[in-house]
Amino acid sequence: MSMISDESEMDLEKCEQICEGEEIELPEDSSGGKLTYFLAPYFFEKTWILGILVSLSGVLLSSVARAGYFGLREFYDDPFKMELLDVFSPLWMIIHYFLFFIMFFAEFIQHRKNFDLETKVLQKLLKEVAEIDLTGDPLAWQRIASRVNCFSEETGNRYSLFSGGGHCMRFFVREIVKPIECQTYDIRCYCEGSTVVNFWKNPSNKALTERALANYNKSVENFGELSHIAEKDGCRDDIFENFCGIIKTSMLYFWAIEYVFSLIMVLAFIISMISYAIFRYPSMVCFL
């Protein structure tokens, strides 16, 4: 027992020496760092411009339904005169712009958290997981996240991939452990910037993945608990992802209903114009 305790104390001392010599920098460690993690690429990569354009496009498309409705009303109701504010109602446009903007921003946040790594970066992540002491080092996942972030920035990425150690661990379980646990082996990564490939099919990558998984397996009691631990730590992230999914699904259904309604209004208006022309000018119709 004394020998075991001495060895554990030596491991802890070794980890402390490593901690003292290595500086760990993660977005979540600084005040407002997690907010910067999401907002920096949103503004500096000019994603907000695309968000504005998408939202405005949604507003204009939604106004087609109002234009068709008020056009029919003006056609059949003589006292009624359609005005510009009837079609482009400020309240209608503000509500629709806000809804489309929320949907776009939620999609951006979800994509920022759930991403596919490039092959070299994924290899770096698995190498760190395979070699680091996950059991004896209390800052193991923070250290892995920091090293992978630094490596990613060296390869040309301007922003941190992982906001913290917990984010890194959940990514590893979701993208590496679960596909192996479910026996799908669908471990995706980017090759040459755009092409999505299966990381597992490469023999050297497969061996590296198995090494990382074996080392991770040592830090828990059995293989079946791996996903459970990550899901427990990422409960709030799962709630946020479900919330984003509900928003996107609701908006898609809402947009589909408006789109169908717009088509009905436009078709009804066209049919009304044709019917009016037939009954109003029968001689012209016969001539045609």
Side-chain angles (χ1 to χ4, degrees):
M1 292 291 291
S2 60
M3 292 178 62
I4 295 175
S5 61
D6 291 340
E7 290 179 358
S8 61
E9 289 178 0
M10 290 175 62
D11 291 337
L12 289 175
E13 290 177 359
K14 187 183 296 184
C15 290
E16 290 177 358
Q17 292 175 0
I18 295 174
C19 292
E20 292 176 358
E22 181 180 358
E23 184 178 358
I24 300 176
E25 295 182 358
L26 292 170
E28 68 177 12
D29 295 335
S30 60
S31 58
K34 209 160 189 178
L35 188 63
T36 306
Y37 171 80
F38 291 105
L39 295 184
Y42 182 77
F43 286 104
F44 294 135
E45 296 298 323
K46 299 181 179 179
T47 309
W48 61 275
I49 297 178
L50 180 61
I52 292 175
L53 294 177
V54 170
S55 302
L56 289 176
S57 300
V59 170
L60 293 176
L61 288 175
S62 65
S63 299
V64 174
R66 291 179 63 88
Y69 168 75
F70 284 106
L72 287 173
R73 185 176 174 182
E74 183 181 24
F75 181 75
Y76 287 105
D77 190 2
D78 290 336
F80 178 79
K81 296 297 181 182
M82 184 175 64
E83 298 180 359
L84 187 63
L85 288 178
D86 293 330
V87 179
F88 299 103
S89 170
L91 181 61
W92 175 274
M93 297 180 70
I94 290 173
I95 292 174
H96 278 73
Y97 180 87
F98 179 76
L99 291 176
F100 277 104
F101 181 81
I102 291 296
M103 184 182 71
F104 180 85
F105 190 72
E107 176 67 22
F108 170 79
I109 294 295
Q110 197 168 14
H111 178 72
R112 183 78 173 102
K113 295 178 65 176
N114 304 327
F115 48 83
D116 291 327
L117 294 177
E118 291 189 6
T119 304
K120 293 182 180 179
V121 180
L122 184 55
Q123 289 172 343
K124 175 66 175 178
L125 171 63
L126 294 175
K127 182 180 178 182
E128 292 294 336
V129 175
E131 295 178 353
I132 202 168
D133 184 8
L134 296 174
T135 305
D137 188 354
L139 300 176
W141 285 106
Q142 287 88 333
R143 202 180 311 283
I144 294 172
S146 179
R147 291 174 181 175
V148 174
N149 285 346
C150 292
F151 180 80
S152 176
E153 291 174 2
E154 291 175 359
T155 58
N157 197 336
R158 296 175 57 187
Y159 307 102
S160 298
L161 291 174
F162 300 111
S163 60
H167 183 199
C168 181
M169 184 190 68
R170 289 189 293 273
F171 177 88
F172 178 80
V173 173
R174 183 181 66 248
E175 300 295 334
I176 305 298
V177 176
K178 283 188 176 181
I180 297 176
E181 191 178 42
C182 299
Q183 296 183 352
T184 60
Y185 306 103
D186 183 22
I187 302 175
R188 296 173 299 173
C189 64
Y190 280 105
C191 182
E192 297 179 356
S194 59
T195 306
V196 180
V197 297
N198 192 324
F199 188 82
W200 181 264
K201 291 183 178 180
N202 186 292
S204 60
N205 293 337
K206 179 180 178 181
L208 180 60
T209 304
E210 290 175 342
R211 283 178 51 210
L213 189 59
N215 190 36
Y216 184 65
N217 193 26
K218 294 178 183 178
S219 64
V220 291
E221 293 181 0
N222 55 67
F223 184 82
E225 291 184 358
L226 296 178
S227 300
H228 174 71
I229 293 173
E231 288 174 0
K232 185 177 180 180
D233 292 338
C235 180
R236 286 181 295 181
D237 292 334
D238 293 338
I239 293 174
F240 178 77
E241 290 179 6
N242 292 334
F243 177 72
C244 291
I246 292 172
I247 290 178
K248 290 190 294 183
T249 304
S250 302
M251 284 300 302
L252 286 175
Y253 279 117
F254 180 71
W255 183 84
I257 292 172
E258 278 201 339
Y259 180 74
V260 172
F261 184 71
S262 301
L263 288 179
I264 293 174
M265 291 294 102
V266 171
L267 289 175
F269 185 78
I270 294 174
I271 293 172
S272 298
M273 292 294 102
I274 295 174
S275 301
Y276 177 79
I278 292 174
F279 290 104
R280 182 72 174 178
Y281 306 102
S283 59
M284 184 180 295
V285 174
C286 293
F287 176 76
L288 293 175

